[in-house]
Protein backbone atom coordinates (compact mmCIF):
# COMPACT_ATOMS: atom_id res chain seq x y z
CA UNK A 1 0.00 0.00 0.00
CA UNK A 2 1.24 3.46 -0.85
CA UNK A 3 1.92 5.26 2.44
CA UNK A 4 -0.33 8.16 3.35
CA UNK A 5 1.44 11.52 3.62
CA UNK A 6 0.62 13.00 7.03
CA UNK A 7 0.92 16.51 8.42
CA UNK A 8 0.99 17.20 12.16
CA UNK A 9 -0.96 20.23 13.32
CA UNK A 10 1.10 21.59 16.27
CA UNK A 11 3.99 20.43 18.39
CA UNK A 12 1.76 19.31 21.28
CA UNK A 13 3.41 16.88 23.70
CA UNK A 14 0.97 14.04 23.01
CA UNK A 15 1.94 14.16 19.35
CA UNK A 16 5.65 14.74 19.82
CA UNK A 17 6.15 12.08 22.48
CA UNK A 18 3.59 9.39 21.67
CA UNK A 19 1.47 9.62 18.54
CA UNK A 20 3.93 10.78 15.91
CA UNK A 21 6.78 8.42 16.95
CA UNK A 22 4.26 5.57 16.83
CA UNK A 23 3.07 6.53 13.36
CA UNK A 24 6.62 6.87 12.12
CA UNK A 25 7.25 3.19 12.92
CA UNK A 26 4.77 2.23 10.22
CA UNK A 27 5.43 1.83 6.50
CA UNK A 28 1.84 2.96 5.93
CA UNK A 29 2.37 6.42 7.45
CA UNK A 30 4.71 9.00 5.93
CA UNK A 31 4.87 11.84 8.45
CA UNK A 32 6.00 14.50 6.02
CA UNK A 33 5.41 17.82 7.79
CA UNK A 34 4.74 19.51 11.11
CA UNK A 35 3.38 23.00 11.78
CA UNK A 36 3.39 25.39 14.73
CA UNK A 37 2.54 29.02 15.22
CA UNK A 38 6.17 29.24 16.33
CA UNK A 39 8.37 28.15 13.43
CA UNK A 40 11.28 27.47 15.76
CA UNK A 41 9.16 24.94 17.65
CA UNK A 42 8.15 23.26 14.40
CA UNK A 43 11.77 23.07 13.28
CA UNK A 44 12.84 21.67 16.63
CA UNK A 45 10.25 18.88 16.48
CA UNK A 46 11.07 18.17 12.85
CA UNK A 47 14.75 17.89 13.71
CA UNK A 48 14.10 15.73 16.75
CA UNK A 49 11.92 13.22 14.89
CA UNK A 50 13.35 13.45 11.39
CA UNK A 51 10.36 15.12 9.72
CA UNK A 52 11.20 16.68 6.34
CA UNK A 53 9.11 19.86 6.45
CA UNK A 54 8.46 22.41 9.21
CA UNK A 55 5.93 25.23 8.84
CA UNK A 56 5.54 28.38 10.92
CA UNK A 57 1.74 28.45 10.57
CA UNK A 58 -1.09 25.96 10.43
CA UNK A 59 -2.35 27.55 7.23
CA UNK A 60 0.94 26.86 5.45
CA UNK A 61 0.72 23.18 6.31
CA UNK A 62 -2.89 22.95 5.14
CA UNK A 63 -1.89 24.58 1.85
CA UNK A 64 0.76 21.93 1.15
CA UNK A 65 -0.64 19.90 -1.78
CA UNK A 66 1.46 16.85 -0.87
CA UNK A 67 -0.21 16.40 2.51
CA UNK A 68 -3.18 14.02 2.42
CA UNK A 69 -4.11 13.67 6.09
CA UNK A 70 -3.82 15.76 9.22
CA UNK A 71 -3.36 14.69 12.83
CA UNK A 72 -4.87 17.41 15.06
CA UNK A 73 -3.62 17.37 18.69
CA UNK A 74 -4.36 21.04 19.40
CA UNK A 75 -6.09 22.16 22.64
CA UNK A 76 -9.72 21.07 22.86
CA UNK A 77 -11.23 24.40 21.84
CA UNK A 78 -9.31 24.27 18.54
CA UNK A 79 -10.29 20.74 17.57
CA UNK A 80 -13.39 21.68 15.59
CA UNK A 81 -12.15 24.97 14.02
CA UNK A 82 -8.89 23.47 12.77
CA UNK A 83 -10.51 20.21 11.69
CA UNK A 84 -12.92 22.28 9.62
CA UNK A 85 -10.01 24.23 8.16
CA UNK A 86 -8.19 21.02 7.28
CA UNK A 87 -11.31 19.55 5.70
CA UNK A 88 -11.83 22.72 3.66
CA UNK A 89 -8.30 22.19 2.34
CA UNK A 90 -9.24 18.67 1.28
CA UNK A 91 -7.33 16.87 4.04
CA UNK A 92 -8.61 13.88 5.96
CA UNK A 93 -8.43 14.42 9.73
CA UNK A 94 -7.59 12.25 12.71
CA UNK A 95 -8.51 14.55 15.59
CA UNK A 96 -7.31 14.01 19.15
CA UNK A 97 -10.00 13.29 21.72
CA UNK A 98 -12.37 14.81 22.66
CA UNK A 99 -13.31 15.79 19.13
CA UNK A 100 -15.16 18.85 20.49
CA UNK A 101 -16.16 20.51 23.75
CA UNK A 102 -19.88 19.87 23.23
CA UNK A 103 -22.01 17.71 20.95
CA UNK A 104 -23.44 20.83 19.28
CA UNK A 105 -19.93 21.88 18.37
CA UNK A 106 -19.16 18.41 17.03
CA UNK A 107 -22.27 18.61 14.85
CA UNK A 108 -20.55 21.40 12.91
CA UNK A 109 -18.28 18.74 11.42
CA UNK A 110 -21.06 16.81 9.68
CA UNK A 111 -20.99 18.63 6.36
CA UNK A 112 -17.20 18.47 6.22
CA UNK A 113 -17.41 14.78 7.10
CA UNK A 114 -19.26 14.13 3.86
CA UNK A 115 -16.27 15.44 1.88
CA UNK A 116 -13.31 13.96 3.78
CA UNK A 117 -12.74 11.31 6.44
CA UNK A 118 -12.89 12.57 10.03
CA UNK A 119 -12.26 10.36 13.05
CA UNK A 120 -11.57 10.74 16.76
CA UNK A 121 -8.23 9.44 18.06
CA UNK A 122 -9.12 6.77 20.61
CA UNK A 123 -6.03 4.62 20.18
CA UNK A 124 -7.17 2.12 22.83
CA UNK A 125 -9.70 0.54 20.48
CA UNK A 126 -6.83 -0.53 18.23
CA UNK A 127 -4.86 -2.31 20.96
CA UNK A 128 -5.07 -6.13 20.92
CA UNK A 129 -5.82 -6.23 24.65
CA UNK A 130 -9.08 -4.32 24.17
CA UNK A 131 -10.00 -6.38 21.13
CA UNK A 132 -9.29 -9.66 22.94
CA UNK A 133 -11.30 -8.58 25.97
CA UNK A 134 -14.31 -7.87 23.77
CA UNK A 135 -13.88 -11.23 22.01
CA UNK A 136 -13.97 -12.96 25.40
CA UNK A 137 -17.13 -11.07 26.37
CA UNK A 138 -18.87 -11.90 23.11
CA UNK A 139 -17.90 -15.57 23.39
CA UNK A 140 -19.61 -15.86 26.78
CA UNK A 141 -16.35 -16.56 28.62
CA UNK A 142 -17.50 -14.53 31.64
CA UNK A 143 -21.23 -15.14 31.24
CA UNK A 144 -23.64 -12.25 30.88
CA UNK A 145 -21.92 -8.89 31.19
CA UNK A 146 -23.26 -6.98 34.18
CA UNK A 147 -20.87 -4.25 35.24
CA UNK A 148 -17.77 -2.34 34.18
CA UNK A 149 -15.66 -0.35 36.61
CA UNK A 150 -13.08 2.15 35.36
CA UNK A 151 -10.55 4.21 37.28
CA UNK A 152 -8.08 6.57 35.62
CA UNK A 153 -6.03 9.22 37.39
CA UNK A 154 -2.90 11.36 37.30
CA UNK A 155 -1.65 14.39 39.22
CA UNK A 156 -1.38 17.75 37.45
CA UNK A 157 -1.75 20.97 39.44
CA UNK A 158 0.21 23.14 36.99
CA UNK A 159 -1.74 26.41 36.48
CA UNK A 160 -0.14 26.83 33.06
CA UNK A 161 -1.25 23.44 31.75
CA UNK A 162 -4.12 23.55 29.25
CA UNK A 163 -5.91 20.77 31.13
CA UNK A 164 -6.37 23.21 34.01
CA UNK A 165 -7.92 25.94 31.86
CA UNK A 166 -11.71 25.79 32.04
CA UNK A 167 -12.20 28.26 29.18
CA UNK A 168 -10.65 25.95 26.57
CA UNK A 169 -12.18 22.62 27.60
CA UNK A 170 -9.97 21.56 30.48
CA UNK A 171 -10.85 19.20 33.30
CA UNK A 172 -10.86 15.50 34.00
CA UNK A 173 -14.12 14.53 32.30
CA UNK A 174 -13.15 15.74 28.83
CA UNK A 175 -9.51 14.72 29.17
CA UNK A 176 -9.80 11.18 30.55
CA UNK A 177 -13.46 10.62 31.42
CA UNK A 178 -14.03 10.26 27.69
CA UNK A 179 -12.01 7.02 27.84
CA UNK A 180 -14.38 5.57 30.45
CA UNK A 181 -17.34 6.43 28.22
CA UNK A 182 -15.67 4.75 25.24
CA UNK A 183 -14.92 1.67 27.35
CA UNK A 184 -18.59 1.26 28.25
CA UNK A 185 -19.78 1.65 24.68
CA UNK A 186 -17.06 -0.68 23.37
CA UNK A 187 -17.46 -3.55 25.80
CA UNK A 188 -21.25 -3.41 26.23
CA UNK A 189 -21.75 -2.96 22.46
CA UNK A 190 -24.48 -0.51 23.44
CA UNK A 191 -25.25 3.11 24.25
CA UNK A 192 -26.16 4.36 27.76
CA UNK A 193 -29.71 5.55 28.31
CA UNK A 194 -29.08 7.75 31.35
CA UNK A 195 -26.19 8.96 33.52
CA UNK A 196 -25.57 10.61 36.88
CA UNK A 197 -22.44 12.49 37.93
CA UNK A 198 -20.61 13.84 40.97
CA UNK A 199 -17.84 16.36 40.37
CA UNK A 200 -15.29 18.10 42.56
CA UNK A 201 -13.92 21.26 40.99
CA UNK A 202 -10.59 22.89 41.71
CA UNK A 203 -11.37 26.18 43.50
CA UNK A 204 -8.65 28.07 41.62
CA UNK A 205 -8.87 26.53 38.14
CA UNK A 206 -12.61 25.88 37.98
CA UNK A 207 -12.09 22.56 36.20
CA UNK A 208 -13.36 19.22 37.46
CA UNK A 209 -10.42 17.55 39.20
CA UNK A 210 -12.31 14.45 40.36
CA UNK A 211 -15.38 13.14 38.56
CA UNK A 212 -17.34 9.99 39.33
CA UNK A 213 -20.33 8.74 37.40
CA UNK A 214 -22.80 5.91 37.03
CA UNK A 215 -24.02 5.04 33.55
CA UNK A 216 -27.11 2.92 32.88
CA UNK A 217 -26.81 0.84 29.70
CA UNK A 218 -30.21 -0.79 30.22
CA UNK A 219 -31.09 -4.42 30.97
CA UNK A 220 -29.31 -4.14 34.32
CA UNK A 221 -25.96 -3.22 32.76
CA UNK A 222 -23.97 -0.56 34.59
CA UNK A 223 -20.69 1.29 34.23
CA UNK A 224 -19.15 3.14 37.17
CA UNK A 225 -16.09 5.30 36.79
CA UNK A 226 -13.86 7.71 38.67
CA UNK A 227 -11.36 9.94 36.90
CA UNK A 228 -9.08 12.45 38.57
CA UNK A 229 -6.45 14.95 37.50
CA UNK A 230 -5.22 15.49 41.05
CA UNK A 231 -4.74 11.98 42.43
CA UNK A 232 -1.99 9.39 42.42
CA UNK A 233 -1.45 8.01 38.90
CA UNK A 234 -3.42 4.80 38.41
CA UNK A 235 -5.59 3.07 35.84
CA UNK A 236 -7.59 -0.15 35.63
CA UNK A 237 -10.68 -1.63 34.01
CA UNK A 238 -12.70 -4.38 35.70
CA UNK A 239 -15.30 -6.15 33.55
CA UNK A 240 -17.73 -8.26 35.61
CA UNK A 241 -19.97 -11.01 34.27
CA UNK A 242 -22.18 -13.68 35.78
CA UNK A 243 -19.45 -16.35 35.44
CA UNK A 244 -16.23 -14.40 35.72
CA UNK A 245 -14.37 -11.17 35.28
CA UNK A 246 -11.76 -9.59 33.01
CA UNK A 247 -9.19 -7.14 34.33
CA UNK A 248 -7.17 -4.95 31.99
CA UNK A 249 -4.00 -4.05 33.82
CA UNK A 250 -2.87 -0.97 31.85
CA UNK A 251 -5.91 -0.15 29.73
CA UNK A 252 -5.12 3.36 28.50
CA UNK A 253 -1.39 4.12 28.55
CA UNK A 254 -0.32 0.69 27.33
CA UNK A 255 3.48 0.89 26.95
CA UNK A 256 4.85 0.77 23.38
CA UNK A 257 8.06 -0.96 24.43
CA UNK A 258 6.97 -3.80 26.74
CA UNK A 259 4.33 -6.55 26.76
CA UNK A 260 0.88 -6.05 28.27
CA UNK A 261 -1.59 -8.44 29.81
CA UNK A 262 -5.12 -8.90 30.98
CA UNK A 263 -6.55 -11.35 33.48
CA UNK A 264 -9.52 -13.68 33.23
CA UNK A 265 -10.87 -14.94 36.54
CA UNK A 266 -13.77 -17.28 37.30
CA UNK A 267 -13.79 -16.11 40.92
CA UNK A 268 -13.34 -19.60 42.32
CA UNK A 269 -10.65 -18.33 44.70
CA UNK A 270 -10.40 -15.03 46.54
CA UNK A 271 -7.94 -12.37 45.47
CA UNK A 272 -6.30 -13.16 42.16
CA UNK A 273 -5.41 -16.79 42.88
CA UNK A 274 -7.83 -18.16 40.28
CA UNK A 275 -6.97 -15.58 37.63
CA UNK A 276 -5.12 -16.56 34.47
CA UNK A 277 -3.09 -14.05 32.50
CA UNK A 278 -3.31 -13.48 28.77
CA UNK A 279 -0.11 -11.87 27.54
CA UNK A 280 0.26 -9.63 24.50
CA UNK A 281 3.50 -8.96 22.64
CA UNK A 282 4.95 -5.49 22.32
CA UNK A 283 2.79 -3.24 20.12
CA UNK A 284 2.46 0.52 19.74
CA UNK A 285 -1.23 1.42 19.82
CA UNK A 286 -0.50 4.78 18.17
CA UNK A 287 1.13 3.01 15.24
CA UNK A 288 -1.92 0.74 14.96
CA UNK A 289 -4.24 3.75 15.06
CA UNK A 290 -2.30 5.55 12.31
CA UNK A 291 -2.23 2.42 10.18
CA UNK A 292 -5.96 1.84 10.57
CA UNK A 293 -6.85 5.37 9.42
CA UNK A 294 -4.31 5.19 6.58
CA UNK A 295 -5.90 1.98 5.31
CA UNK A 296 -9.30 3.66 5.30
CA UNK A 297 -7.91 6.57 3.31
CA UNK A 298 -6.53 4.13 0.73
CA UNK A 299 -9.86 2.29 0.53
CA UNK A 300 -8.33 -0.87 2.00
CA UNK A 301 -10.60 -1.00 5.08
CA UNK A 302 -13.89 0.46 6.34
CA UNK A 303 -14.00 3.31 8.85
CA UNK A 304 -15.18 1.54 12.00
CA UNK A 305 -15.33 4.65 14.19
CA UNK A 306 -16.14 7.77 12.27
CA UNK A 307 -17.80 11.08 12.90
CA UNK A 308 -21.15 9.64 14.02
CA UNK A 309 -19.38 7.66 16.74
CA UNK A 310 -17.59 10.80 17.90
CA UNK A 311 -20.83 12.81 18.07
CA UNK A 312 -22.49 10.05 20.11
CA UNK A 313 -19.60 10.11 22.57
CA UNK A 314 -19.96 13.87 22.96
CA UNK A 315 -23.70 13.53 23.66
CA UNK A 316 -22.88 11.27 26.60
CA UNK A 317 -20.26 13.70 27.89
CA UNK A 318 -22.84 16.49 27.59
CA UNK A 319 -25.31 14.48 29.67
CA UNK A 320 -22.66 13.93 32.33
CA UNK A 321 -22.05 17.68 32.44
CA UNK A 322 -25.79 18.36 32.74
CA UNK A 323 -26.04 15.92 35.63
CA UNK A 324 -23.53 17.94 37.63
CA UNK A 325 -25.76 20.99 37.28
CA UNK A 326 -29.05 19.17 37.96
CA UNK A 327 -27.73 16.78 40.66
CA UNK A 328 -29.97 14.17 39.03
CA UNK A 329 -30.07 11.45 36.41
CA UNK A 330 -29.90 12.83 32.88
CA UNK A 331 -31.06 11.06 29.73
CA UNK A 332 -28.61 10.79 26.85
CA UNK A 333 -30.18 12.57 23.90
Amino acid sequence: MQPVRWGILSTAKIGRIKVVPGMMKSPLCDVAAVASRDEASARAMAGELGIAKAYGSYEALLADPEIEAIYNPLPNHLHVPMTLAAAAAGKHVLCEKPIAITADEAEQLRQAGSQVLIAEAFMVRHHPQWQRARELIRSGEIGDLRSIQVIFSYFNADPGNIRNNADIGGGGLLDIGCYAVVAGRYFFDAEPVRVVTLMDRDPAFGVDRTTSALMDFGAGRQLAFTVSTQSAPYQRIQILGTKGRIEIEIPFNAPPDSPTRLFVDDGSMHGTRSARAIDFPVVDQYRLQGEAFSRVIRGAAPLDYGLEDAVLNMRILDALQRSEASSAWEKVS
Side-chain angles (χ1 to χ4, degrees):
M1 188 185 104
Q2 186 73 18
V4 171
R5 295 181 298 278
W6 284 84
I8 311 302
L9 209 60
S10 95
T11 57
K13 183 178 180 181
I14 179 68
R16 189 179 75 254
I17 302 299
K18 294 184 177 181
V19 181
V20 177
M23 294 171 66
M24 294 182 77
K25 296 175 184 176
S26 173
L28 306 186
C29 303
D30 176 11
V31 179
V34 59
S36 172
R37 289 173 176 170
D38 178 356
E39 187 171 352
S41 294
R43 291 190 180 279
M45 179 171 165
E48 175 186 346
L49 298 180
I51 300 172
K53 298 178 183 179
Y55 289 108
S57 73
Y58 304 143
E59 293 74 18
L61 172 60
L62 298 182
D64 186 335
E66 295 185 350
I67 298 301
E68 300 173 90
I70 294 294
Y71 167 61
N72 177 2
L74 287 162
N76 293 346
H77 70 300
L78 295 176
H79 285 179
V80 167
M82 293 311 300
T83 294
L84 287 171
K91 317 297 186 186
H92 306 292
V93 184
L94 179 64
C95 183
E96 195 50 67
K97 56 76 196 167
I99 202 165
I101 295 179
T102 66
D104 284 347
E105 188 186 27
E107 290 282 356
Q108 298 175 31
L109 297 171
R110 284 199 183 276
Q111 184 174 355
S114 66
Q115 307 300 317
V116 298
L117 297 168
I118 299 175
E120 193 171 18
F122 280 111
M123 73 293 180
V124 291
R125 293 186 293 206
H126 301 280
H127 199 289
Q129 64 179 357
W130 276 53
Q131 295 169 354
R132 180 63 175 142
R134 188 164 68 172
E135 288 173 2
L136 290 168
I137 294 166
R138 288 174 170 176
S139 73
E141 178 80 15
I142 62 170
D144 296 330
L145 184 56
R146 291 284 190 255
S147 175
I148 299 173
Q149 298 176 341
V150 178
I151 189 164
F152 193 5
S153 59
Y154 61 81
F155 195 94
N156 179 356
D158 177 6
N161 191 283
I162 59 172
R163 292 168 181 81
N164 290 320
N165 188 327
D167 294 336
I168 60 174
L173 179 63
L174 288 181
D175 188 42
I176 51 179
C178 58
Y179 285 111
V181 171
V182 161
R185 298 175 63 217
Y186 185 85
F187 294 120
F188 278 127
D189 272 330
E191 303 295 336
V193 293
R194 59 176 184 156
V195 300
V196 66
T197 314
L198 177 65
M199 291 186 181
D200 172 52
R201 291 188 175 270
D202 185 283
F205 304 145
V207 298
D208 64 295
R209 60 185 176 186
T210 300
T211 292
S212 296
L214 186 63
M215 300 171 59
D216 177 8
F217 281 81
R221 298 171 298 176
Q222 303 173 7
L223 180 143
F225 75 79
T226 294
V227 296
S228 179
T229 62
Q230 292 185 26
S231 295
Y234 184 73
Q235 55 187 263
R236 198 71 102 231
I237 292 179
Q238 295 282 356
I239 301 169
L240 306 176
T242 55
K243 296 180 180 179
R245 70 177 180 91
I246 297 169
E247 177 179 348
I248 306 180
E249 186 177 40
I250 311 176
F252 307 113
N253 297 121
D257 54 0
S258 61
T260 55
R261 61 183 179 174
L262 58 77
F263 299 95
V264 183
D265 190 356
D266 64 6
S268 58
M269 301 178 72
H270 289 303
T272 58
R273 290 180 294 168
S274 54
R276 63 180 174 91
I278 298 178
D279 298 310
F280 299 89
V282 174
V283 298
D284 189 319
Q285 59 188 348
Y286 296 103
R287 170 181 176 165
L288 298 177
Q289 174 181 255
E291 288 180 335
F293 198 61
S294 294
R295 288 191 186 97
V296 176
I297 290 172
R298 289 287 179 258
L303 182 60
D304 292 331
Y305 303 103
L307 187 56
E308 181 62 30
D309 178 84
V311 171
L312 287 172
N313 220 58
M314 289 309 310
R315 288 176 182 165
I316 299 165
L317 293 168
D318 279 1
L320 289 163
Q321 298 271 25
R322 292 196 303 272
S323 178
E324 183 204 12
S326 68
S327 298
W329 285 94
E330 292 287 339
K331 292 183 178 180
V332 178
S333 57

